[in-house]
Amino acid sequence: MSENLDKSNINEAGKSKSSDSEQGLEDAMEGSDEALQKTIKSGSPSTQRVQRPHSSPPRFVTVEELLETAKGVTNMALAHEIVINGDFQIKPVELPEDSLEKRVKDIVHKAFWDCLSVQLSEVPPTYDRAIKLVGEIKETLLSFLLPGHTRLRNQITEVLDLDLIKQEAENGALDISKLAEFIIGMMGTLCAPVRDEEVKRLKDVKEIVPLFRAIFSVLDLMKVDMANFAVSSIRPHLMQQSVEYERKQFQEFLEKQPSCCKMIFSKQNENLIWEYVNSLDFVTQWLQEATDDLMNQKYKNALPAAGGAAGSGDGPRLDPVAVQNYAYLKLLKWDHLHRPFPETVLMDHSRFQEFQLQLEQLTVLGAVLLVTFSMAAPGIASRADFAEKLKMIVKILLTDMHLPSFHLEDALTAVGEKVCLEVSSCLSLCGLSPLTADKEAVLKGQIQAVASPDNPIRRIVDSRILTFLDTYLASSHQKPSPIAPGGLGPIQKELEAVAVKFVRLVNYNKMVFSPYYDAILSKILASS
């Protein structure tokens, strides 16, 4: 697929969406839980799938182009993060204690404050550095003001008049303590409520140099607070503009870097990485694989026929949005170590990895609970308090499942012991006979078997989770929300939390990149 998409074709393709576009995939899902799970999970491409494209030969890229592209990617990534992440906040930079940057920073700061202390200890005191600090504080306080804060602006400008302060210093009439008192009072007026205690503690510092250091420390926190306030203020406006902004930026990247060095934003190492790739080749391969999966013989009977009744000889027609939904489900089973990620979703690479880890943990959790409630007496399975308690115990034991050092087999051994203990205790409280030794052995064995990805119970839970996510995605604009399939009731709350974030992310990306997807899929579906 050529990366130089004609804008008119993109715009025309973007208008071709149908209101019932998700019905095709939804119909294909009915009664095909295990087939869906198996097809999405499969990492090997089918015989019809395109192979990884060959990279185009590199061309000379100027430093100006590199800097301009890097700036554009950074701005787009920041805007994307603000829109997608409702909890996005700017945090103060904290250097590692043993890092070179931290040591250099500490040495430079200590030298500066030592020089200030020496100047103020002279007879008479020298106020050159102190006055410069007052000037920096003045500019910082003024930056916190809104256009309507005329009175506060006049106060700061009048009291922190540097020319007047220099004259007072030359004549030996400067009262640094009085200036510090005014600065602290103004900081208390302008700071967020969360900083009231820090500002209040400044009044207890009596020595000038430690006081100035503490003032600058609190001002740095206030700058972060102001930046976060600005982010929360612009988020509603950014939501309206971000789709067009990201699409425009992406189109500019394609035009400037058609088949050469392309900037990739990697959340794994927080770096900008350069690679030689053909733009949108991996997107084309991703959508081609999704199309091939849905065109597979297993789905032909479930898909709507092209013209007349099924069996008329016409092949099935796939809806482009249904293919997109299915393609995004495939990202939840992606082989991140061996397969390149589609270009359009690179900025959300870490988010899809996080979804994948969360769903793997929910799959194991759901399988353990399903096995337990199937083996235990029906009475205790219906007790909401016991089900919630048991779920929390298993969740705690599976907390570190995403860590490389985690051994699922060992963890499930501990889970089996704890589950049998809790079930027997609950049975006794209900006046029922506790589990026999044979039943305990069977239950522990079935829980231990969940460690295998090919375990039938685990595969059932996995396929039903994918079915739920697909239904949630297809009905994201409908109320009420879909009900979790049978057996997933105990984990429905956790599953819905993941589904809401997943659907929000997918829908936003589809709004930004659907013109590109439609243009690519129009050719793929026509050739199919």
Side-chain angles (χ1 to χ4, degrees):
M1 174 64 190
S2 174
E3 68 286 344
N4 294 327
L5 296 174
D6 186 78
K7 290 185 179 181
S8 61
N9 293 336
I10 292 176
N11 294 332
E12 182 178 354
K15 299 176 182 178
S16 63
K17 300 176 183 178
S18 58
S19 59
D20 58 346
S21 57
E22 289 146 341
Q23 188 62 40
L25 182 56
E26 186 175 358
D27 293 340
M29 290 294 303
E30 294 179 0
S32 304
D33 289 353
E34 185 174 351
L36 173 66
Q37 184 268 347
K38 185 182 298 183
T39 306
I40 292 179
K41 189 174 182 179
S42 175
S44 60
S46 66
T47 56
Q48 297 181 3
R49 293 175 184 170
V50 296
Q51 302 299 319
R52 174 171 177 149
H54 297 288
S55 299
S56 297
R59 69 168 175 82
F60 178 74
V61 182
T62 65
V63 174
E64 290 75 11
E65 287 179 313
L66 294 179
L67 295 176
E68 183 181 356
T69 305
K71 181 180 178 181
V73 171
T74 303
N75 291 340
M76 188 171 70
L78 179 60
H80 184 84
E81 186 72 18
I82 293 173
V83 172
I84 294 296
N85 185 5
D87 299 325
F88 174 82
Q89 280 193 335
I90 299 171
K91 296 181 180 179
V93 177
E94 296 182 1
L95 299 175
E97 288 295 331
D98 56 346
S99 65
L100 176 63
E101 294 89 344
K102 181 71 164 56
R103 293 198 297 270
V104 171
K105 179 181 177 181
D106 291 342
I107 292 172
V108 172
H109 281 201
K110 184 178 186 302
F112 176 84
W113 294 113
D114 287 346
C115 290
L116 177 62
S117 180
V118 170
Q119 283 191 345
L120 295 179
S121 300
E122 294 176 355
V123 180
T126 303
Y127 292 106
D128 293 345
R129 290 180 180 269
I131 294 174
K132 289 181 180 179
L133 292 180
V134 172
E136 292 182 20
I137 294 173
K138 174 184 177 181
E139 294 302 320
T140 302
L141 292 176
L142 291 175
S143 69
F144 293 153
L145 300 179
L146 298 177
H149 291 161
T150 306
R151 184 178 60 84
L152 294 177
R153 190 180 306 276
N154 292 336
Q155 279 186 312
I156 295 173
T157 304
E158 180 180 349
V159 177
L160 302 183
D161 186 343
L162 297 186
D163 293 334
L164 180 59
I165 292 174
K166 289 178 182 178
Q167 293 179 9
E168 291 177 347
E170 293 171 356
N171 296 321
L174 179 60
D175 189 349
I176 288 286
S177 299
K178 184 177 180 181
L179 288 178
E181 182 180 352
F182 170 80
I183 291 170
I184 295 172
M186 191 58 64
M187 290 171 63
T189 301
L190 299 176
C191 73
V194 70
R195 304 300 173 197
D196 285 342
E197 288 300 321
E198 283 97 333
V199 174
K200 186 177 180 181
R201 284 196 290 268
L202 294 176
K203 299 178 181 179
D204 299 329
V205 183
K206 303 303 180 183
E207 297 183 13
I208 296 300
V209 174
L211 177 58
F212 269 103
R213 294 191 66 169
I215 286 174
F216 274 94
S217 178
V218 177
L219 284 176
D220 287 340
L221 297 176
M222 291 175 62
K223 291 178 183 178
V224 174
D225 295 337
M226 181 59 67
N228 286 323
F229 171 75
V231 167
S232 62
S233 300
I234 68 173
R235 180 177 282 115
H237 306 285
L238 190 60
M239 286 285 289
Q240 302 171 8
Q241 306 294 330
S242 59
V243 171
E244 291 297 328
Y245 171 73
E246 286 197 39
R247 187 183 299 163
K248 179 181 177 182
Q249 287 287 98
F250 192 79
Q251 180 64 33
E252 289 179 359
F253 297 152
L254 294 183
E255 293 172 353
K256 292 179 182 178
Q257 315 287 346
S259 58
C260 61
C261 207
K262 181 171 68 69
M263 184 71 74
I264 295 178
F265 183 78
S266 173
K267 291 291 287 184
Q268 290 178 316
N269 54 11
E270 299 294 338
N271 290 325
L272 293 172
I273 305 174
W274 290 94
E275 288 186 0
Y276 287 99
V277 297
N278 288 321
S279 300
L280 300 185
D281 279 340
F282 296 134
V283 170
T284 303
Q285 179 176 334
W286 170 50
L287 295 177
Q288 178 70 65
E289 290 181 5
T291 303
D292 290 345
D293 286 344
L294 291 179
M295 291 290 290
N296 190 285
Q297 183 63 39
K298 296 178 182 179
Y299 292 91
K300 281 190 176 181
N301 293 332
L303 291 171
S312 61
D314 294 331
R317 284 183 179 175
L318 297 179
D319 184 87
V321 177
V323 177
Q324 291 179 42
N325 289 349
Y326 186 85
Y328 275 103
L329 287 175
K330 287 177 67 69
L331 297 180
L332 300 177
K333 296 292 183 180
W334 202 260
D335 185 359
H336 298 276
L337 294 179
H338 303 98
R339 298 198 59 191
F341 217 57
E343 296 91 344
T344 53
V345 287
L346 275 172
M347 285 192 294
D348 294 311
H349 191 187
S350 64
R351 287 191 174 90
F352 282 103
Q353 286 181 302
E354 184 179 353
F355 286 141
Q356 189 170 348
L357 295 173
Q358 290 176 346
L359 292 177
E360 288 177 1
Q361 186 178 35
L362 283 179
T363 299
V364 174
L365 174 62
V368 169
L369 295 179
L370 184 59
V371 167
T372 302
F373 293 140
S374 299
M375 287 282 298
I380 67 170
S382 60
R383 294 189 55 172
D385 56 341
F386 173 74
E388 190 66 24
K389 178 182 178 182
L390 192 64
K391 180 176 70 174
M392 292 303 300
I393 292 173
V394 179
K395 281 179 66 175
I396 291 173
L397 294 175
L398 298 176
T399 299
D400 297 330
M401 188 173 165
H402 62 285
L403 299 179
S405 59
F406 184 84
H407 297 286
L408 184 57
E409 295 83 358
D410 297 339
L412 289 178
T413 300
V415 168
E417 295 286 346
K418 188 64 176 175
V419 165
C420 288
L421 183 63
E422 292 294 331
V423 169
S424 296
S425 175
C426 184
L427 289 172
S428 299
L429 291 176
C430 294
L432 302 173
S433 300
L435 294 176
T436 63
D438 291 341
K439 283 190 174 182
E440 281 194 5
V442 172
L443 179 56
K444 291 178 183 178
Q446 290 193 4
I447 291 176
Q448 185 72 33
V450 172
S452 172
D454 294 327
N455 175 258
I457 303 299
R458 180 170 172 175
R459 290 173 62 185
I460 289 173
V461 173
D462 193 11
S463 65
R464 290 180 180 178
I465 286 177
L466 290 174
T467 302
F468 176 76
L469 291 175
D470 174 71
T471 307
Y472 213 101
L473 187 59
S475 60
S476 58
H477 300 295
Q478 300 176 7
K479 299 295 181 181
S481 301
I483 300 175
L488 301 186
I491 60 171
Q492 177 161 348
K493 182 172 64 175
E494 290 81 4
L495 192 55
E496 285 182 348
V498 175
V500 168
K501 293 180 180 179
F502 173 72
V503 170
R504 183 187 301 130
L505 180 63
V506 170
N507 285 340
Y508 179 78
N509 276 283
K510 285 164 65 176
M511 283 191 295
V512 175
F513 299 110
S514 58
Y516 299 94
Y517 297 156
D518 290 342
I520 294 172
L521 283 172
S522 64
K523 294 186 177 181
I524 292 177
L525 295 178
S527 63
S528 299

